[in-house]
Amino acid sequence: GGSVMVWGCITSKGMGQLHRINRTMDAKKYCAILIKESLLGTLEGYQLSPQTCVFQQDNDRKHTSKLTQQWF
């Protein structure tokens, strides 16, 4: 047995990029996924502006960290 952790998103225009998490994800890795990899790439691919999107997440520690809040 084992487990696989992924990050993904859904937009009004379709499914977003899926990102596999190889190790424990902390706030730094979470922000890297948002900035450099999956989220902004998905928005660009669908020609969506970050300013017009509603971003929802739970209250996990990495989602509410100072680093993450600065990014938003």
Side-chain angles (χ1 to χ4, degrees):
S3 64
V4 176
M5 183 188 301
V6 296
W7 180 94
C9 63
I10 301 169
T11 75
S12 60
K13 294 188 177 185
M15 193 170 66
Q17 296 177 14
L18 194 62
H19 185 88
R20 183 177 179 168
I21 311 300
N22 292 322
R23 295 195 169 89
T24 302
M25 184 166 50
D26 59 9
K28 185 175 179 180
K29 178 66 177 169
Y30 181 65
C31 286
I33 290 170
L34 297 178
I35 297 167
K36 299 177 185 171
E37 301 166 17
S38 299
L39 178 62
L40 292 182
T42 294
L43 296 180
E44 289 174 12
Y46 285 120
Q47 299 177 342
L48 295 169
S49 169
Q51 290 78 18
T52 63
C53 293
V54 175
F55 190 79
Q56 296 178 316
Q57 58 192 3
D58 61 20
N59 287 324
D60 187 272
R61 190 176 296 168
K62 65 187 144 289
H63 301 158
T64 59
S65 71
K66 288 182 183 180
L67 181 64
T68 303
Q69 295 303 312
Q70 289 172 351
W71 186 78
F72 282 104

